[in-house]
Amino acid sequence: MSENKKYNYPNRLSILRFFLDAEGVRKNPIPFHKRYFEKFGDSFSLKIGNSKHIILSRDNEIAQYILQKNQKNYHKSRFQSVYLSKYLGHGLLTVDGDFWLKQRRLIQPAFHKQKMNQLVENMNRTIVSELDCLVEEESVDLFPVMSKLAFNVVAKSLFELSISEEKLNRIKFIIEEVQNFLIKEIRLPHKAWWFSLSGQVKKHLKLAQENNLIIKEIIEERTASRKEVNDLLNMLLETRYEYTGEGMSIQQLIDEIKIIFIAGHETTANALTFTFYLLGKYPEVQEKVFQEIIEIESTTNDLVEQLQKMTYLNAVLNESMRLYPPAWITDRQNVADDTIGQFYIKKGTLIGVSFYELHRNPKYWENPNEFNPERFLGEQKKHSMQYFYPFGAGPRMCIGTGFAIYEMCLTLSYIVKKYVIKSSKTEIEFNPLITLKPVGAEVLFSKR
């Protein structure tokens, strides 16, 4: 039986069109994806060579199927397991199968809600300290401010007392350098020979190793001090594998800490930047957020209680992440042949799900490009949550979701209480890298 009869795929994008668009896709794939979806429907495919198939989808059934219903048959793609692991090691973000499950079970308790509640005071102190000197009455490029804030919140939550400013800045620099190079490697695979020959791969592997040594030094200092500190490092040091009763090796701990830095800082910075931009563009929404915060603070001084009552602020945050999902795309490869919707696909097919497009798919959302926080309130919320993937879905859903939401709500409430926010531009630009990075999001802060 021929392959064409045995397997069937969504409408196909021609390989010629793909190569003609390749340079534009490298710079910003989203406009091209939008055009392809409008032409081919909610899923389209690409065939490379005789047997390699790629599917890109904004279909909710496909997203649910590969992330939840049949997730065991769908592993991380080579982009994540090979390219990322080369620099980030073998942590939760880059591994699969039994090892991933073992690590997830080990680390999950450290991110339990009760544990996150213990970090709130420290988190809030860092936020207040970082935002104490915001530039007022002057247009500010917001992303660098939020990036520095989010990085320091993760760092101080991980290593409450154990890291110097110099080491912190070096880790941040290395993470950004390595990520920028990773994007080039992933989007320009045909230039792999040049990256290797020119010494760029060697240079970035050396940076990654330097990062390992900095984190190793911090861990060793902590374990030697025998101090009981209420931070994530302490929680991770205390975790034990259920079958052996042993903790993680130093190398494994380093790999997991690098993942926490990567996953925990840029996505949060992105989401905060987009949300402040939207609040500045919609003053009536901003006023509702302000009134909710004032009302909540009049009923309790307990930070965790305040966070749990921020219903409208959470709706605003969700609607912002719907329009601008920080993790804007994910991909998987099937381990075995499978039927997915009406398609029968060969094992090893690369399936990408664009959360950016799914979150704006008119099949699921009324007026999808409109900012409307009411979608995430009352009865409407039940409908919306079915098609909403700000932190992924299924067993591999982001382990730090609770941490990120606490951090974002604390930051938003602190700034909205003190300032009126005005957006300096009517439209926002972004750069879809590993995450959806805002570009030129300028706002003005005026004292209330």
Side-chain angles (χ1 to χ4, degrees):
M1 188 182 286
S2 74
E3 182 179 295
N4 287 341
K5 286 182 181 176
K6 184 178 179 187
Y7 301 109
N8 67 300
Y9 282 82
N11 291 327
R12 187 177 294 174
L13 173 71
S14 77
I15 194 73
L16 176 61
R17 181 75 267 162
F18 173 74
F19 280 118
L20 288 172
D21 291 344
E23 185 56 25
V25 169
R26 184 187 69 78
K27 288 177 181 173
N28 183 356
I30 284 178
F32 292 91
H33 291 173
K34 181 177 173 59
R35 197 182 308 157
Y36 302 151
F37 284 127
E38 285 171 354
K39 180 178 180 180
F40 297 118
D42 286 344
S43 300
F44 63 89
S45 66
L46 177 69
K47 189 178 181 185
I48 298 174
N50 290 326
S51 59
K52 182 65 183 173
H53 291 275
I54 298 171
I55 295 173
L56 189 67
S57 183
R58 62 174 187 180
D59 186 298
N60 192 59
E61 284 187 29
I62 287 179
Q64 287 281 316
Y65 187 79
I66 68 171
L67 298 176
Q68 288 184 284
K69 292 179 183 173
N70 197 24
Q71 52 85 20
K72 287 185 179 176
N73 191 39
Y74 289 85
H75 282 189
K76 294 261 182 179
S77 73
R78 280 179 57 82
F79 292 139
Q80 297 180 68
S81 60
V82 175
Y83 285 106
L84 285 177
S85 65
K86 187 163 63 173
Y87 303 104
L88 299 184
H90 301 282
L92 277 181
L93 190 67
T94 58
V95 297
D96 261 311
D98 291 341
F99 184 64
W100 167 80
L101 185 60
K102 178 182 164 186
Q103 287 303 109
R104 180 81 183 203
R105 283 177 176 164
L106 175 75
I107 295 167
Q108 187 79 53
F111 285 88
H112 189 274
K113 195 170 185 179
Q114 285 178 321
K115 295 280 189 183
M116 292 301 99
N117 290 350
Q118 292 171 27
L119 298 176
V120 165
E121 290 288 347
N122 184 32
M123 199 186 286
N124 195 53
R125 273 196 302 275
T126 306
I127 290 166
V128 171
S129 168
E130 286 292 319
L131 299 176
D132 197 35
C133 300
L134 271 181
V135 175
E136 298 171 19
E137 303 300 343
E138 193 180 306
S139 201
V140 177
D141 184 0
L142 197 54
F143 179 74
V145 178
M146 292 298 114
S147 180
K148 182 172 179 284
L149 167 75
F151 188 85
N152 285 341
V153 169
V154 171
K156 298 286 170 60
S157 298
L158 260 168
F159 317 123
E160 187 181 350
L161 305 168
S162 311
I163 187 163
S164 67
E165 205 68 31
E166 186 186 351
K167 284 179 183 174
L168 201 58
N169 290 335
R170 189 61 186 166
I171 291 172
K172 190 171 191 290
F173 170 79
I174 291 170
I175 286 172
E176 287 171 354
E177 284 289 301
V178 167
Q179 179 172 297
N180 289 337
F181 181 63
L182 255 172
I183 293 295
K184 285 166 71 175
E185 278 198 303
I186 289 169
R187 291 195 183 164
L188 300 170
H190 56 288
K191 288 192 173 181
W193 65 274
W194 169 246
F195 295 146
S196 185
L197 194 65
S198 63
Q200 292 182 65
V201 172
K202 188 177 179 181
K203 173 191 166 185
H204 289 89
L205 284 171
K206 194 174 175 183
L207 281 173
Q209 185 56 32
E210 183 190 342
N211 205 19
N212 286 357
L213 292 172
I214 294 170
I215 296 169
K216 183 173 186 245
E217 194 178 307
I218 294 165
I219 294 167
E220 287 175 345
E221 283 174 7
R222 172 66 62 82
T223 50
S225 74
R226 300 188 180 277
K227 280 182 183 172
E228 285 292 321
V229 182
N230 190 27
D231 61 10
L232 272 171
L233 176 57
N234 199 57
M235 292 175 189
L236 291 171
L237 284 166
E238 286 178 348
T239 58
R240 293 290 178 270
Y241 291 108
E242 56 187 336
Y243 296 117
T244 65
E246 294 176 356
M248 274 186 274
S249 67
I250 293 285
Q251 187 55 53
Q252 193 60 47
L253 193 51
I254 291 167
D255 288 352
E256 299 300 352
I257 285 169
K258 285 190 292 184
I259 298 296
I260 290 168
F261 265 123
I262 293 283
H265 112 264
E266 190 162 300
T267 50
T268 302
N270 295 351
L272 282 169
T273 303
F274 286 120
T275 306
F276 279 121
Y277 159 76
L278 289 164
L279 287 174
K281 192 176 176 184
Y282 296 91
E284 69 286 359
V285 173
Q286 186 180 156
E287 181 60 24
K288 279 188 181 180
V289 170
F290 175 70
Q291 293 300 335
E292 180 182 69
I293 292 162
I294 296 303
E295 188 180 329
I296 289 168
E297 290 195 351
S298 71
T299 63
T300 177
N301 293 320
D302 185 277
L303 274 177
V304 174
E305 275 186 55
Q306 289 175 7
L307 287 165
Q308 289 165 351
K309 290 181 176 181
M310 291 178 184
T311 309
Y312 188 71
L313 179 54
N314 268 283
V316 169
L317 191 53
N318 282 345
E319 178 66 349
S320 169
M321 291 192 291
R322 180 188 71 82
L323 286 170
Y324 303 105
W328 69 280
I329 195 166
T330 194
D331 57 44
R332 296 287 189 272
Q333 281 182 289
N334 53 324
V335 178
D337 290 1
D338 201 6
T339 300
I340 182 167
Q342 69 212 66
F343 310 112
Y344 183 52
I345 63 172
K346 188 178 182 182
K347 80 170 184 177
T349 296
L350 177 65
I351 304 175
V353 174
S354 170
F355 296 137
Y356 179 89
E357 286 291 340
L358 197 159
H359 283 180
R360 292 170 182 251
N361 189 335
K363 190 160 91 177
Y364 311 122
W365 307 93
E366 193 176 329
N367 301 318
N369 295 314
E370 184 183 294
F371 177 63
N372 177 16
E374 305 294 321
R375 298 180 206 271
F376 292 94
L377 293 171
E379 287 301 308
Q380 284 190 67
K381 184 177 181 180
K382 290 178 187 173
H383 169 83
S384 297
M385 294 305 284
Q386 299 173 82
Y387 312 108
F388 185 51
Y389 299 86
F391 300 101
R396 293 201 77 131
M397 186 171 170
C398 175
I399 200 168
T401 298
F403 181 96
I405 290 171
Y406 274 3
E407 179 187 350
M408 289 189 283
C409 286
L410 286 168
T411 303
L412 288 160
S413 64
Y414 177 80
I415 288 185
V416 170
K417 261 191 314 184
K418 285 186 73 173
Y419 302 101
V420 173
I421 306 144
K422 291 178 186 171
S423 292
S424 306
K425 295 180 180 177
T426 53
E427 295 299 324
I428 194 167
E429 295 176 23
F430 49 75
N431 189 3
L433 299 172
I434 292 174
T435 63
L436 192 69
K437 190 172 181 178
V439 176
E442 293 184 7
V443 299
L444 187 140
F445 297 108
S446 303
K447 269 264 166 62
R448 282 197 181 269

